[in-house]
Amino acid sequence: MIRTLLTNENYQWDVVAQYVTAETVLRGLVMTVVLTILCMTFGALLGLVIAVLRASPLRPVRILAGAYVTFFRGTPVLVQLIFWFNIAALYPNLAIGIPFTDVSQDIDVNRLISATTAAVVGLSLNQAAYQAEIFRGGFASVDKGQIEAADSLGMSRGTKLRRIIVPQSMPTIVPATGNQFIGMFKETSLVSVLGVAELLQSVQLIYARTYQTIPLLIVACVWYLAMTLLLSYPQSLIEKKFSRTRARVSNEPALAPTPTELMGDAK
């Protein structure tokens, strides 16, 4: 394998070296990073909301949240992206206004949903479904005795979630979210079908003009691999940190809360 990589002229390593730092490729790389950060941020926030709704005592709310997760996990991401890009075929015009008044603003959906907007919306909604399951798994990892203790102190549902459930579920949530972040970076290549000028689309535009398909695809692979390795290192550090935190917490005896903390949590 090493011999053919070095001796097969069809790889055109000189072309790879020429384009790996080309301005068009670097702009596509920046767009890929921006899309990854935006979609992970929106997906994580929406996923947290859905995870909380799935734990709601109201059955209709749980059913709706479960249906959201089932739909977005059960349909291909590429289909979802194309659907959002063509959403104007269903709703060409929308009106946003104040109910029971004449105050409204018409919106041209075709102009609003650009290729980049459709990419962010589609990837964020899809990511939210997976993040909701990650959060739900993290919540389920909290010891039931902790929740029962919070109930005995009279904590409200919001206080219990903020003070007990979320902090203790972080060792489970953070590593899985790191894996999703790396996966999202590679998943952004799907938006090339919408014409978004991310990394893959950038190299496709070049080899459509130069017909140097293989070396330009190698350029894309080099950057995807380099960024994945770059993101994997801090992820491994975070995983080690939370592994030590979990081990320390499980070995330390529980400290009795002070009367002030008891009164504050009860409020």
Side-chain angles (χ1 to χ4, degrees), residues 145-194:
Q146 298 284 330
I147 300 176
E148 292 173 355
D151 292 334
S152 67
L153 292 175
M155 287 187 182
S156 65
R157 186 174 181 81
T159 302
K160 183 170 59 177
L161 184 68
R162 186 178 66 255
R163 297 288 298 274
I164 304 297
I165 298 177
V166 171
Q168 295 190 40
S169 62
M170 291 306 290
T172 302
I173 293 174
V174 172
T177 302
N179 288 329
Q180 288 294 113
F181 191 90
I182 295 175
M184 175 60 70
F185 179 80
K186 294 178 290 185
E187 204 169 77
T188 54
S189 61
L190 294 175
V191 305
S192 62
V193 300
L194 305 182

Side-chain angles (χ1 to χ4, degrees), residues 83-191:
F83 178 86
W84 286 109
F85 186 59
N86 294 279
I87 191 66
L90 288 176
Y91 304 100
N93 294 286
L94 292 176
I96 298 178
I98 302 176
F100 309 110
T101 67
D102 295 331
V103 179
S104 65
Q105 177 65 45
D106 293 333
I107 298 176
D108 185 354
V109 177
N110 197 36
R111 295 181 58 185
L112 176 66
I113 303 297
S114 63
T116 304
T117 304
V120 173
V121 171
L123 291 178
S124 298
L125 293 178
N126 182 266
Q127 181 61 33
Y130 289 91
Q131 282 296 133
E133 291 300 283
I134 291 174
F135 284 123
R136 190 169 68 91
F139 296 165
S141 67
V142 179
D143 186 76
K144 292 183 178 180
Q146 298 284 330
I147 300 176
E148 292 173 355
D151 292 334
S152 67
L153 292 175
M155 287 187 182
S156 65
R157 186 174 181 81
T159 302
K160 183 170 59 177
L161 184 68
R162 186 178 66 255
R163 297 288 298 274
I164 304 297
I165 298 177
V166 171
Q168 295 190 40
S169 62
M170 291 306 290
T172 302
I173 293 174
V174 172
T177 302
N179 288 329
Q180 288 294 113
F181 191 90
I182 295 175
M184 175 60 70
F185 179 80
K186 294 178 290 185
E187 204 169 77
T188 54
S189 61
L190 294 175
V191 305

Side-chain angles (χ1 to χ4, degrees), residues 17-31:
Q18 175 186 352
Y19 284 104
V20 73
T21 56
E23 183 180 354
T24 303
V25 175
L26 294 180
R27 284 202 302 266
L29 178 63
V30 171
M31 174 60 74

